[in-house]
């Protein structure tokens, strides 16, 4: 049975029938099939699937994800990764090896230097890159943040870092950039680095880091309380409870 949208007028007219009435009116569909790590919205919250889930009959609200061991509630959290090893590079682009997770979140996974987004949202992206001089010759390093939305990797415009390395031993330099960016589920992110010459440079473990901070909407000031409306015969009981008998 297809799901239909419930309007305010339908509620007033009491013209709602069968499974077309979905109290939460969120994105979760109990008739759909879900795979492990799928993330859904329900009643203003996000949940992540712990296993493959097969859809059931529409209208069976006992399968609410908040009541099922198949789902875990997903809380937005900081995600941060850094490299475990130093890597050298010259004038050929290479991926920066971010492979160690400092702060973890189900919203992200990392493999082969790629961070995969398991949910959509706007995040504050912070990238810090440290480079060190190896050949004792002056050189500049350029780092680029790349995104793959399904058609291959491309540089994110105006999201680059420049490092200048002095011609002395331990001539290291650290630069960073912070910017808000909206990502969609399935997007992949990585960082590449290159020297402006054949001078050999190296990344520094202690100074390279990617951090992602979820940006939450901030509510505005509350308005004045409106007038009390006329008493009706609808009995609103709040959130659904599988243990309650309803009439």
């Amino acid at each position: 049975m297809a799901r239909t949208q419930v309007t305010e007028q339908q509620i007033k007219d009491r013209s709602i029938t069968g499974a077309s009435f979905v109290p939460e009116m969120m994105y979760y569909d109990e008739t759909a099939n879900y795979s492990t790590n799928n993330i859904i919205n329900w009643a203003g919250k996000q949940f992540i699937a712990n296993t493959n889930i097969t859809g059931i009959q529409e209208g069976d609200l006992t399968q609410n994800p908040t009541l099922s061991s198949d789902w875990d509630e997903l809380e937005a959290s900081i995600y941060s990764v850094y490299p475990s090893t130093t890597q050298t590079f010259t004038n050929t682009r290479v991926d920066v090896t971010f492979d160690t997770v400092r702060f973890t979140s189900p919203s992200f996974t990392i493999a082969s230097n790629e961070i995969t987004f398991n949910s959509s949202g706007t995040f504050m992206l912070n990238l810090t890159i440290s480079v060190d001089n190896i050949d004792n010759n002056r050189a500049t390093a350029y780092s680029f943040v790349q995104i793959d939305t399904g058609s291959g990797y491309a540089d994110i415009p105006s999201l680059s870092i420049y490092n200048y390395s002095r011609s002395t031993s331990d001539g290291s330099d650290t630069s960073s950039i912070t910017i808000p960016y909206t990502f969609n589920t399935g997007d992949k992110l990585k960082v590449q680095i290159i020297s402006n010459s054949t001078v050999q440079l190296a990344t520094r473990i202690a100074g390279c880091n990617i951090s992602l901070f979820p940006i939450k909407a901030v509510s505005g000031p509350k308005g004045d309380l409106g007038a009390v409306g006329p008493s009706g015969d609808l009995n609103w009981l709040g959130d659904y409870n599988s243990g309650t008998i309803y009439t």
Side-chain angles (χ1 to χ4, degrees), residues 77-83 95-119 123-129 144-150 153 156 181 183-192 208-213:
S77 59
I78 299 171
Y79 185 71
S80 182
V81 294
Y82 62 96
D95 295 344
V96 180
T97 308
F98 289 100
D99 55 6
T100 307
V101 177
R102 178 179 286 111
F103 293 105
T104 187
S105 166
S107 294
F108 311 91
T109 52
I110 187 167
S112 303
N113 308 320
E114 299 177 331
I115 297 175
T116 299
F117 288 77
N118 298 325
S119 62
F123 300 85
M124 190 65 72
L125 168 65
N126 173 263
L127 170 65
T128 301
I129 295 290
F144 306 89
V145 182
Q146 293 195 312
I147 185 172
D148 180 3
T149 60
Y153 276 101
I156 297 178
Y181 200 85
F183 297 92
N184 296 310
T185 301
D187 285 354
K188 297 180 184 295
L189 180 146
K190 69 176 181 179
V191 176
Q192 291 193 324
C208 295
N209 187 79
I210 297 176
S211 294
L212 291 153
F213 306 86

Side-chain angles (χ1 to χ4, degrees), residues 4-129:
T4 60
Q5 183 176 359
V6 178
T7 67
E8 182 180 1
Q9 191 61 46
Q10 284 178 300
I11 295 175
K12 290 179 179 179
D13 294 343
R14 308 182 76 177
S15 61
I16 304 164
T17 59
S20 63
F21 181 33
V22 182
E24 284 73 10
M25 290 192 293
M26 298 301 289
Y27 300 107
Y28 173 61
D29 182 353
E30 66 271 24
T31 66
N33 296 329
Y34 295 96
S35 301
T36 303
N37 293 328
N38 279 176
I39 295 175
I40 53 91
N41 291 308
W42 176 269
K45 298 179 180 179
Q46 285 190 323
F47 297 86
I48 185 167
N50 295 322
T51 185
N52 295 332
I53 300 170
T54 302
I56 60 171
Q57 291 298 315
E58 183 155 10
D60 185 355
L61 297 180
T62 61
Q63 296 301 312
N64 177 334
T66 60
L67 306 177
S68 171
S69 60
D70 293 334
W71 298 93
D72 277 336
E73 184 174 346
L74 183 63
E75 296 182 358
S77 59
I78 299 171
Y79 185 71
S80 182
V81 294
Y82 62 96
S84 61
T85 59
T86 294
Q87 62 186 119
T88 58
F89 61 95
T90 56
N91 57 343
T92 300
R93 277 201 191 198
V94 296
D95 295 344
V96 180
T97 308
F98 289 100
D99 55 6
T100 307
V101 177
R102 178 179 286 111
F103 293 105
T104 187
S105 166
S107 294
F108 311 91
T109 52
I110 187 167
S112 303
N113 308 320
E114 299 177 331
I115 297 175
T116 299
F117 288 77
N118 298 325
S119 62
S120 300
T122 300
F123 300 85
M124 190 65 72
L125 168 65
N126 173 263
L127 170 65
T128 301
I129 295 290

